[in-house]
Amino acid sequence: MGARKKPNLKVKIPSYPHDYVAMPPETRRLILEANRTPNDIRYIDDISPNTSRTSLEASIPDDRRPMTPEIKISEPKNGEEAKADGLSGDSPVVYTNRLKRGSVSVPEGLKSYDAPKKEYLNIPDHHRSSASAFSDGDNTVDENNGILSDDDKPKSPLKSPRRKSGYPRRLGRSEFSMDEDDYSPSNSVTSVNSLASLLREKLQSIPQKIRKKPSDYKLKAFVALMFLAVAFFIGFAYVLYHQQAHSKTYFRNVQLNEPKRLIRIYNEDDVEILKANLAVGVQGKIKAFPCLPEDRRNGSQCLEWLHTLRFYMKSQPHDPGLDNTTCYSIHWQALRPDVTPTDCFDWGDTKVHWYGGGQSFNLTWPLDAGSISFTPFVTGDMQKSQWGNLLTRYFINTKGAAIIVDEETPLHVAVKPDTKEICIRAKYDDFAFANKITEFPEMRYNICTSIDMKSLHTSIHSHRSSPLWDGLKPADMQTLDSLISEPVWQIAPRFKHELQAETIAKYTEDVINLGFLKQGHVLINEHWQNEIGDLEVDKSRFETLNVTVDKLHRRGFKVAFTIQPFISTESQNFAETVQKRLLVSERNSDRRIPALTRFKSLPSAGVLDITNNRSVPWILDKLQAVIDEYHIDSFYFDLGTAYDIPHYYRCESFLINPDHYKTIFTKTFEKALNIIGVSSAISLPRPPIFVSLPPFESSWEAMRRVIPTMLTYGVNGFPFLMPGAVGGDIYWPGSEQFLPSSKGSMDPMNITQENGIDLPERELYMRWLQMATFLPVMKFTHLPSKYNDERVLEMAKNLTLLRQKLVTPLLLKYKREALEEGLPLIRPLWQVSGGEAAPRVDDEFALGDELVVAPVLHQGQTTREVYLPAGLWQDGIDNSLRKGNRWMHEYKVPVDKVAYFIRRPDDLRFR
């Protein structure tokens, strides 16, 4: 069927739309003839009265029959017939509630439009103009009876809803409809008046559609957002599901995602306390398989990434009644030489801080506040981007998780602030881990968890099963007490010709002349020998050393000599040690050829092979001769660092790494000799041996590194630490100014009265002395009397009195706790009490649980920020009471004062 031609609406519309006017028959005929075509659809109005209903319905397809109310138009009935039908006698229209397609019947009496005007009064309301002259508001007009009541109004059917677009166009549709999609019976036009009303209604509806467009856009945007939200949640659920699907739970608190090689550990409260990316160096997501039966171990979960890595995980047995610590062992085996097992522990997502390990120039407190690239985890020079002089393979975080790496692992450690991770790696190299224990590198470590950080640290470093006091003699306890309560006087000139018997006598006389400092230990550096390694007194400079030592003993001093395992090539003992093969030899070389190295000012030196059974009696005989002749009280071991060992070292016995050497050396002589300290360590020496901090130069920056280093070494499990000299050390690794040649001479312009060295800056010395007053050992190289300043001397007197009355009793009290439980004397604030700010405080420390110290560490400052742990504290400057668990801003600290706070009972405020 062809397209229907659009009706021509350009007709003459009466200018009085409010009057009901019937369309003249002639006008209607002209309109229809002007628009008729052969393919036109027949309208109801075009059907002759003789056409039957059945033929009409048959001529219209079912899918095009409109859903319109069924209207029956008939001649008016008489009154009785109307009453019988339930209608008034004047109503010519019958409305039914049933909707039916194409159910339009034409009454027989309706022959043409020439009917009387009275019949048009029966048109339903929805076909009338709202402004018709025959309606007034809501009133309905009856021609005979006037205005009808609401009950007498004809019941008009509701307007049919708009047909949605996309449906087939219906037959019987009016040509005068302006909107092809809005056909309904109410849109049919039967008169000029209806046409005018319809046009006006359509024109009025156009602005409404335009105004509704923004609402349509808002609705569309809302639907789009809802769609995106649903898509996001579906994707999130998908990812979460697959994460959980690939994650397996082991030992109740450990989750392992095998494809991603991600491990998460939770505490008893289901709080994530550790997150680690495993096997970081392995590229791609290689599928893991269960190990073969021959590779499995009892009680261990075993997975293997084929031809790459083998992974073991096991829960360590523990006694819940003893403590709340739970440990899991991790073991990685590389299956080919190019694989280096690497695990990285997060501190970003888990929001923790890490402590322990060691110190470096770029690291501070906590470890995650600094950075260091992958470096062999052996002792070295902090100034050269190496680890410091004291290391422990132990790391602990603030949520109560710790990592303890096995000593046989060829360990490299990195701190990465960009990815917020601490990474450990097992890797062999040609120096630090040249001695291969296994064919391919293996990494073993334990992950331990507890209820909190303090409980975990106490549990790991507890010595209850083997307390440190076990085996100590009364003389050892006396030495320990004397080191805490008395100073150490370090006589350490840069050149050996500066050290003479008169130098020692003059120095001790100055100490006595002070009048307020105890005598303590006189520590003489390695220049008591002519050459390092002679192991006998240089009699050309010390003709009467035995007399000098006797005088020192009578004055109350104790004398200690510094010794090293290094034998200078210029020493008189070098040829003997080479002949007897007592020195460390070179790897892949003749064992008769010693391996040489450099140490401090020595350009060339050999190293005693302490693993050789012949070397121990040899050195003991040499030292015993010195003790017998000069009545030396003790020794201090200057063992150097791992990098002071020859690069291609080889000993008689197998060494795991270069640091293993110093452990053997210390343990070999700790019972045979009276040792007061060692310069380097990777394991806890037997008391009363103190471990020294690394040398620090005389500067404000160096002083600020003292407290973080002291706290780190204490967390590592070393309770007895010996800081450097007040004002800074003479020897400072990496500085050519402090490492002159042994054969050189001093510049006369720089000579001062203090052993040829410029004194530290006055304010620096005062602040350093204030800090050192609260440390376990006070070591002096420069005496406070050398400044010729009464203010410095008066402050030194007051601090000495404070140490004797307050600090020393507390140190001796917590010494017992250290020997029993391994807790450090100097502790971080988080070990004293909780608090969000405590973990990051690196310029304060606590002595035990009873004293908090906050020294000034910046030049020219007389105020500082002070954090007090929870509790009640008494101010050491003005004796006022202070509430804890808060910051005190702009706290005033004069130059001659130090900020410290003493814990008091909570009920003291009411006394």
Side-chain angles (χ1 to χ4, degrees):
M1 180 179 296
R4 186 180 59 173
K5 186 177 180 179
K6 204 66 168 169
N8 185 6
L9 301 180
K10 295 182 179 181
V11 295
K12 187 176 181 180
I13 301 174
S15 59
Y16 42 92
H18 298 288
D19 297 331
Y20 188 90
V21 180
M23 179 184 290
E26 185 64 20
T27 301
R28 178 179 179 277
R29 184 181 61 78
L30 291 175
I31 292 174
L32 293 177
E33 289 180 356
N35 294 283
R36 190 182 304 276
T37 63
N39 296 327
D40 281 352
I41 301 173
R42 298 180 64 191
Y43 285 85
I44 296 176
D45 297 334
D46 298 335
I47 301 173
S48 65
N50 298 327
T51 304
S52 64
R53 177 186 179 92
T54 304
S55 61
L56 174 62
E57 292 179 352
S59 65
I60 302 175
D62 292 337
D63 58 346
R64 296 194 178 186
R65 294 177 181 175
M67 294 289 294
T68 58
E70 183 178 3
I71 304 174
K72 295 181 180 181
I73 304 175
S74 61
E75 292 293 331
K77 299 181 181 181
N78 54 34
E80 294 179 359
E81 291 174 348
K83 291 180 181 179
D85 293 337
L87 299 172
S88 63
D90 296 331
S91 177
V93 182
V94 178
Y95 296 90
T96 63
N97 294 329
R98 180 170 53 91
L99 296 178
K100 184 177 180 181
R101 291 182 181 270
S103 57
V104 180
S105 61
V106 182
E108 293 180 359
L110 187 59
K111 302 299 182 180
S112 67
Y113 281 95
D114 296 330
K117 188 178 295 185
K118 177 181 178 181
E119 296 181 3
Y120 289 99
L121 298 177
N122 297 324
I123 298 175
D125 291 341
H126 60 277
H127 282 270
R128 298 183 181 179
S129 170
S130 60
S132 174
F134 297 94
S135 63
D136 184 13
D138 293 335
N139 299 326
T140 302
V141 180
D142 186 316
E143 186 180 17
N144 298 325
N145 301 325
I147 299 175
L148 300 178
S149 63
D150 292 340
D151 296 334
D152 296 331
K153 291 179 182 179
K155 306 301 181 180
S156 174
L158 297 175
K159 183 177 179 179
S160 301
R162 294 178 57 182
R163 181 169 59 90
K164 296 184 180 294
S165 61
Y167 287 92
R169 183 176 297 162
R170 296 172 180 171
L171 295 177
R173 159 122 203 214
S174 172
E175 294 181 5
F176 296 98
S177 174
M178 296 184 64
D179 191 348
E180 296 183 358
D181 295 330
D182 292 341
Y183 175 77
S184 70
S186 63
N187 292 336
S188 61
V189 180
T190 57
S191 67
V192 176
N193 186 30
S194 299
L195 180 62
S197 301
L198 181 62
L199 287 175
R200 185 171 59 255
E201 180 182 354
K202 293 300 182 182
L203 291 174
Q204 291 175 353
S205 65
I206 292 176
Q208 291 181 351
K209 293 183 178 180
I210 296 176
R211 288 194 299 268
K212 290 182 179 180
K213 284 185 178 180
S215 300
D216 294 341
Y217 290 143
K218 292 181 180 179
L219 179 61
K220 292 178 180 178
F222 175 75
V223 172
L225 289 176
M226 291 299 296
F227 175 78
L228 293 176
V230 171
F232 170 78
F233 282 113
I234 291 175
F236 178 77
Y238 177 82
V239 173
L240 184 63
Y241 168 76
H242 279 269
Q243 286 182 350
Q244 296 296 328
H246 292 109
S247 297
K248 295 183 180 179
T249 301
Y250 300 92
F251 318 119
R252 195 168 71 88
N253 292 328
V254 180
Q255 284 189 2
L256 177 63
N257 188 310
E258 296 175 9
K260 292 187 176 181
R261 300 188 295 273
L262 179 67
I263 189 171
R264 299 175 185 268
I265 297 182
Y266 301 83
N267 61 12
E268 296 299 328
D269 297 328
D270 293 330
V271 176
E272 184 182 26
I273 60 176
L274 185 139
K275 172 186 174 184
N277 294 304
L278 306 179
V280 174
V282 178
Q283 300 296 328
K285 296 182 179 180
I286 306 175
K287 183 175 177 57
F289 297 92
C291 296
L292 296 176
E294 58 268 24
D295 296 325
R296 298 175 185 174
R297 298 174 183 174
N298 293 333
S300 297
Q301 301 293 331
C302 183
L303 297 173
E304 181 173 328
W305 287 263
L306 295 181
H307 310 297
T308 304
L309 284 168
R310 188 175 295 131
F311 173 77
Y312 296 95
M313 182 170 59
K314 180 181 180 181
S315 177
Q316 299 288 354
H318 71 288
D319 185 4
L322 184 62
D323 55 38
N324 296 313
T325 303
T326 304
C327 294
Y328 311 95
S329 65
I330 305 295
H331 181 195
W332 285 101
Q333 285 183 346
L335 303 181
R336 61 175 191 260
D338 62 328
V339 176
T340 57
T342 304
D343 293 348
C344 292
F345 301 88
D346 163 84
W347 77 67
D349 293 343
T350 51
K351 294 180 175 57
V352 298
H353 297 295
W354 285 94
Y355 305 89
Q359 281 288 295
S360 181
F361 184 78
N362 296 324
L363 296 178
T364 180
W365 177 272
L367 285 178
D368 48 85
S371 66
I372 189 171
S373 301
F374 272 110
T375 305
F377 198 67
V378 293
T379 59
D381 182 0
M382 291 198 306
Q383 304 296 329
K384 299 179 181 179
S385 297
Q386 301 167 358
W387 293 94
N389 68 315
L390 188 150
L391 299 178
T392 302
R393 300 183 170 202
Y394 164 76
F395 305 89
I396 185 171
N397 71 21
T398 49
K399 285 191 176 180
I403 306 166
I404 307 171
V405 185
D406 185 76
E407 64 176 6
E408 293 185 354
T409 298
L411 181 62
H412 294 63
V413 179
V415 178
K416 299 181 177 182
D418 52 344
T419 58
K420 297 184 179 181
E421 292 175 320
I422 291 181
C423 299
I424 58 176
R425 171 181 293 173
K427 180 183 179 181
Y428 289 124
D429 56 20
D430 60 355
F431 166 62
F433 304 105
N435 298 328
K436 296 183 178 181
I437 301 176
T438 57
E439 181 182 6
F440 304 132
E442 297 186 9
M443 184 165 63
R444 293 184 176 92
Y445 63 90
N446 289 341
I447 299 176
C448 295
T449 65
S450 189
I451 55 177
D452 55 37
M453 185 182 186
K454 184 177 180 179
S455 301
L456 177 63
H457 180 74
T458 303
S459 174
I460 292 176
H461 291 288
S462 175
H463 296 276
R464 293 174 183 173
S465 58
S466 56
L468 297 179
W469 54 260
D470 187 17
L472 293 185
K473 296 178 291 185
D476 297 329
M477 297 297 293
Q478 292 176 3
T479 301
L480 186 61
D481 291 346
S482 66
L483 287 170
I484 292 175
S485 57
E486 299 173 355
V488 173
W489 307 101
Q490 184 179 23
I491 303 178
R494 295 179 297 172
F495 307 106
K496 66 180 180 182
H497 67 266
E498 297 174 354
L499 182 61
Q500 299 177 2
E502 292 77 10
T503 306
I504 299 174
K506 179 65 169 60
Y507 189 93
T508 54
E509 288 177 3
D510 292 340
V511 172
I512 294 174
N513 291 334
L514 286 174
F516 55 83
L517 288 171
K518 293 185 177 181
Q519 287 71 19
H521 294 261
V522 176
L523 178 59
I524 302 174
N525 70 354
E526 62 273 6
H527 292 320
W528 61 274
Q529 313 164 87
N530 182 37
E531 295 291 344
I532 296 178
D534 286 348
L535 298 179
E536 64 179 36
V537 176
D538 182 7
K539 294 185 178 180
S540 64
R541 291 181 288 117
F542 298 99
E543 295 180 0
T544 59
L545 182 60
N546 53 353
V547 177
T548 303
V549 172
D550 290 340
K551 184 184 297 186
L552 294 178
H553 285 163
R554 290 195 302 269
R555 291 177 175 177
F557 291 97
K558 303 176 184 63
V559 181
F561 278 177
T562 300
I563 62 173
Q564 295 94 359
F566 301 93
I567 309 296
S568 172
T569 55
E570 299 181 12
S571 170
Q572 61 185 8
N573 291 327
F574 182 76
E576 180 184 359
T577 54
V578 171
Q579 182 181 4
K580 294 182 178 180
R581 300 184 184 178
L582 303 181
L583 302 179
V584 174
S585 61
E586 280 197 0
R587 192 165 53 250
N588 304 323
S589 180
D590 193 336
R591 295 186 67 90
R592 295 172 295 181
I593 302 176
L596 300 181
T597 185
R598 297 188 61 180
F599 176 71
K600 286 189 175 180
S601 60
L602 291 179
S604 178
V607 183
L608 280 174
D609 186 356
I610 199 63
T611 66
N612 188 337
N613 293 331
R614 299 186 301 273
S615 65
V616 176
W618 181 86
I619 191 174
L620 278 177
D621 290 342
K622 298 288 185 179
L623 296 177
Q624 189 61 44
V626 175
I627 295 173
D628 294 341
E629 182 176 358
Y630 298 98
H631 307 287
I632 301 302
D633 298 285
S634 57
F635 293 95
Y636 176 86
F637 284 179
D638 187 359
L639 303 176
T641 67
Y643 292 93
D644 293 320
I645 300 294
H647 190 86
Y648 298 101
Y649 66 92
R650 180 176 62 176
C651 297
E652 189 75 20
S653 299
F654 181 84
L655 292 183
I656 301 174
N657 56 61
D659 282 329
H660 193 196
Y661 175 89
K662 59 175 58 70
T663 301
I664 298 175
F665 195 96
T666 303
K667 290 186 177 298
T668 300
F669 299 107
E670 63 184 9
K671 292 184 178 180
L673 300 173
N674 188 13
I675 307 170
I676 63 171
V678 294
S679 64
S680 181
I682 61 169
S683 61
L684 181 63
R686 178 176 175 268
I689 301 175
F690 279 70
V691 181
S692 293
L693 268 63
F696 291 114
E697 66 172 326
S698 181
S699 68
W700 289 94
E701 182 182 3
M703 186 177 71
R704 287 191 289 270
R705 292 200 297 268
V706 173
I707 294 178
T709 305
M710 179 78 68
L711 296 178
T712 299
Y713 290 1
V715 169
N716 284 347
F718 291 81
F720 303 111
L721 298 171
M722 183 183 297
V726 174
D729 295 289
I730 296 174
Y731 287 111
W732 176 49
S735 174
E736 297 297 328
Q737 178 184 357
F738 294 97
L739 290 177
S741 170
S742 60
K743 299 297 184 182
S745 61
M746 297 178 297
D747 184 0
M749 298 298 296
N750 293 328
I751 296 178
T752 66
Q753 295 181 355
E754 188 68 8
N755 297 328
I757 312 171
D758 292 334
L759 292 173
E761 189 265 324
R762 180 179 283 100
E763 184 185 357
L764 174 65
Y765 183 86
M766 295 175 68
R767 293 301 192 186
W768 205 309
L769 180 59
Q770 294 168 2
M771 176 183 65
T773 300
F774 299 89
L775 299 181
V777 176
M778 291 193 70
K779 184 189 289 186
F780 288 92
T781 294
H782 309 288
L783 300 179
S785 58
K786 296 299 179 180
Y787 286 90
N788 296 322
D789 189 332
E790 287 297 329
R791 186 175 56 172
V792 175
L793 200 59
E794 183 66 23
M795 185 196 70
K797 290 180 181 179
N798 295 333
L799 292 176
T800 300
L801 185 62
L802 175 65
R803 182 175 177 90
Q804 292 174 354
K805 290 186 175 181
L806 175 64
V807 179
T808 299
L810 287 176
L811 289 171
L812 294 176
K813 172 185 176 181
Y814 287 102
K815 174 205 70 174
R816 295 174 175 268
E817 191 172 316
L819 293 174
E820 182 71 29
E821 301 180 7
L823 294 176
L825 302 178
I826 302 301
R827 303 174 183 178
L829 297 190
W830 56 257
Q831 202 167 2
V832 176
S833 65
E836 295 182 359
R840 292 197 64 108
V841 177
D842 63 349
D843 57 356
E844 299 180 38
F845 61 89
L847 199 167
D849 293 332
E850 301 181 41
L851 189 67
V852 170
V853 184
V856 174
L857 304 176
H858 293 270
Q859 184 178 11
Q861 288 191 357
T862 56
T863 60
R864 62 155 294 162
E865 306 293 301
V866 177
Y867 178 78
L868 280 181
L872 182 65
W873 302 88
Q874 184 175 3
D875 195 316
I877 295 179
D878 59 9
N879 293 325
S880 61
L881 295 180
R882 303 279 186 174
K883 180 181 179 297
N885 196 23
R886 67 185 179 96
W887 283 97
M888 294 189 298
H889 304 289
E890 297 296 326
Y891 180 82
K892 294 183 179 181
V893 187
V895 177
D896 58 344
K897 299 291 183 180
V898 57
Y900 68 95
F901 305 87
I902 308 169
R903 186 186 291 276
R904 294 302 185 189
D906 291 339
D907 60 347
L908 183 64
R909 63 175 72 92
F910 303 111
R911 297 178 185 176

